Amino acid sequence: MQLIIVTGLSGSGKSIALRALEDSGFYCIDNLPATLLPQISHHLEANHQSKVAISIDSRSAALEALPSAIEHLKGSGNTVDVLFLESNIETIVKRFSETRRKHPLSNEDRTLAESIAHERELLAGLAELGHHIDTSNLSANTLRNYIREIIAQPDNSLVLLFTSFGFKNGIPLDADFVFDVRSLPNPHYDPALKPLTGKDQAVIEFLENTPAAVEMLADIKHYIGKWLPSFKQDNRSYLTVAIGCTGGQHRSVYFVEQLSQYFKQQQHKVIVRHRELD
């Protein structure tokens, strides 16, 4: 059985992710107590449900039982993936304010911001169980497409996720590695290149003719390629590499495009995101 566990902070898009999985043919269960995970999984498998997605979050009882439950299911021959969704506190506060929903951990003695911080603390141990997804700057439609990309990847293979971003909007929370390319010449200051992106040929030629950009790209390729085997040995399913420039439009986009093409040619599974362009 293929089982995907969706967890993370309230307001980070877990409901959207669960609906995207349901649209992709998964049998979905929301807010299951962690202690019931093995029993419900065996029941669903006995009833010929081969693709199941289950949401487990701060409302669920016995969160501390989740890691051992996952290991038990894997030991029984099931494929288990964990998607941990989170956003920065500003985004979550804005989402709760817009929808006028009550945070599940809020009470008379705890503000919304304090409830979010408390939930982050409760779930800290689960963030390391699987693939970390920062939804702070993702629209609902982008998140749905991202979930579909993830589940389309073959089992038992490490997936490289390259994402470009602008430092002016903060570093992605889900990054395993962050490379800063702001020291390179910025196409933004060329009036002809300013409205373009790192995908456009004129910007590509600008950076390809910049020796420092060529050297830095080669160094990043070498670094990632050198350490990929150790992440595979650690049974990692995903490795997120974030490339940042000032605005996330030119240099970082170019680097992500070049890196994704290179590692695809090396027969690696690759997903590409451009946070600011998306």
Side-chain angles (χ1 to χ4, degrees):
M1 181 174 67
Q2 181 184 6
L3 173 63
I4 295 180
I5 296 172
V6 181
T7 186
L9 301 182
S10 302
S12 61
K14 296 192 303 296
S15 297
I16 293 171
L18 208 60
R19 285 196 294 270
L21 290 166
E22 187 173 33
D23 292 343
S24 298
F26 282 76
Y27 181 89
C28 296
I29 302 173
D30 191 16
N31 192 22
L32 183 77
T35 50
L36 295 181
L37 185 57
Q39 295 95 311
I40 196 68
S41 301
H42 294 324
H43 170 75
L44 293 171
E45 189 173 15
N47 284 275
H48 308 293
Q49 294 287 351
S50 59
K51 297 169 65 178
V52 179
I54 297 175
S55 172
I56 296 177
D57 53 34
S58 62
R59 298 169 295 168
S60 302
L63 285 175
E64 65 277 2
L66 184 56
S68 60
I70 290 173
E71 290 306 312
H72 173 77
L73 288 168
K74 287 182 177 179
S76 301
N78 299 288
T79 300
V80 183
D81 291 304
V82 178
L83 302 181
F84 186 93
L85 279 62
E86 75 163 311
S87 297
N88 59 45
I89 190 167
E90 294 83 5
T91 298
I92 296 178
V93 168
K94 180 181 178 182
R95 288 172 181 170
F96 272 99
S97 299
E98 289 175 345
T99 60
R100 300 181 182 275
R101 290 174 51 230
K102 181 182 178 182
H103 192 279
L105 299 184
S106 63
N107 56 39
E108 297 176 352
D109 303 319
R110 192 181 288 143
T111 66
L112 175 56
E114 289 170 343
S115 299
I116 295 168
H118 181 53
E119 183 177 41
R120 194 183 297 277
E121 183 179 344
L122 286 175
L123 298 174
L126 305 185
E128 305 303 319
L129 295 178
H131 182 42
H132 206 181
I133 305 174
D134 179 7
T135 68
S136 304
N137 299 88
L138 296 183
S139 67
N141 192 52
T142 301
L143 177 58
R144 282 191 287 267
N145 290 334
Y146 183 33
I147 295 295
R148 294 188 188 106
E149 279 189 289
I150 289 173
I151 62 177
Q153 300 302 320
D155 296 333
N156 301 320
S157 61
L158 185 145
V159 177
L160 271 170
L161 195 155
F162 291 104
T163 180
S164 65
F165 72 96
F167 275 96
K168 68 178 184 180
N169 293 322
I171 297 173
L173 299 174
D174 51 3
D176 295 302
F177 291 114
V178 176
F179 293 96
D180 184 351
V181 299
R182 287 176 295 180
S183 63
L184 301 175
N186 193 348
H188 174 84
Y189 296 111
D190 185 328
L193 302 180
K194 182 177 179 179
L196 305 180
T197 76
K199 295 181 179 182
D200 292 305
Q201 189 59 35
V203 175
I204 293 171
E205 291 176 0
F206 174 90
L207 291 168
E208 285 181 343
N209 290 319
T210 302
V214 174
E215 185 176 359
M216 186 177 288
L217 180 61
D219 286 345
I220 295 174
K221 286 178 182 177
H222 175 74
Y223 182 87
I224 296 171
K226 177 180 178 180
W227 290 105
L228 265 181
S230 68
F231 283 94
K232 289 181 178 179
Q233 291 171 6
D234 195 38
N235 295 317
R236 289 284 294 271
S237 298
Y238 297 90
L239 184 69
T240 301
V241 179
I243 311 291
C245 60
T246 305
Q249 179 179 339
H250 297 103
R251 294 164 293 180
S252 61
V253 171
Y254 165 79
F255 268 68
V256 163
E257 290 293 317
Q258 297 302 311
L259 289 166
S260 65
Q261 291 174 22
Y262 173 79
F263 283 98
K264 281 180 181 177
Q265 292 171 358
Q266 302 297 314
Q267 306 304 309
H268 293 287
K269 307 300 180 184
V270 173
I271 294 176
V272 173
R273 283 169 54 195
H274 295 297
R275 190 182 76 178
E276 317 307 348
L277 301 188
D278 293 339

